[in-house]
Amino acid sequence: MAKRYKRRSTRRGGSEAAEVEALIGESKYEEALDYIDDLDETVRGSIRLRQLEGLALARLGHHSKALSVLDSLYHEGKLDPETWGIYARCWMDSYDR
């Protein structure tokens, strides 16, 4: 089991997403998912954090879990180029396996 990650930013407004982006940028995907999991439900439900959750899951090779997260955005009509890109990449990677 991954060690729980607890880094708190002093920045306001979107700082949670910035923290997760930094962890993903450092290839710390498990820590990024732990960070998201530790957030309050209302914050965790933001579009950007859900996109990043899908991305981290995909990078770990958990394509079905990533697609589940991204499918929920799709069915809610919350699609933008970032979501489409991650979504398409997950499908492509799942077919490669």
Side-chain angles (χ1 to χ4, degrees):
M1 182 107 209
K3 183 178 177 181
R4 302 303 289 178
Y5 183 77
K6 284 288 203 186
R7 180 189 330 180
R8 295 292 177 214
S9 174
T10 57
R11 294 176 295 174
R12 291 184 174 214
S15 63
E16 292 88 359
E19 289 287 345
V20 174
E21 287 173 357
L23 290 167
I24 291 172
E26 297 169 5
S27 301
K28 297 178 180 178
Y29 311 121
E30 292 279 353
E31 290 179 22
L33 292 170
D34 287 342
Y35 186 90
I36 292 169
D37 193 50
D38 288 342
L39 294 172
D40 180 77
E41 184 69 32
T42 56
V43 175
R44 189 174 46 217
S46 76
I47 293 170
R48 184 65 184 142
L49 284 170
R50 289 164 65 194
Q51 290 171 334
L52 292 169
E53 179 182 11
L55 179 61
L57 287 165
R59 296 261 174 99
L60 285 170
H62 303 301
H63 297 103
S64 62
K65 290 180 183 179
L67 286 169
S68 177
V69 170
L70 298 167
D71 278 341
S72 68
L73 289 171
Y74 174 82
H75 290 293
E76 293 169 17
K78 297 177 179 169
L79 294 171
D80 59 22
E82 183 75 12
T83 304
W84 274 119
I86 300 167
Y87 196 58
R89 181 61 192 241
C90 285
W91 275 110
M92 186 179 76
D93 289 346
S94 68
Y95 282 114
D96 287 342
R97 293 181 188 261

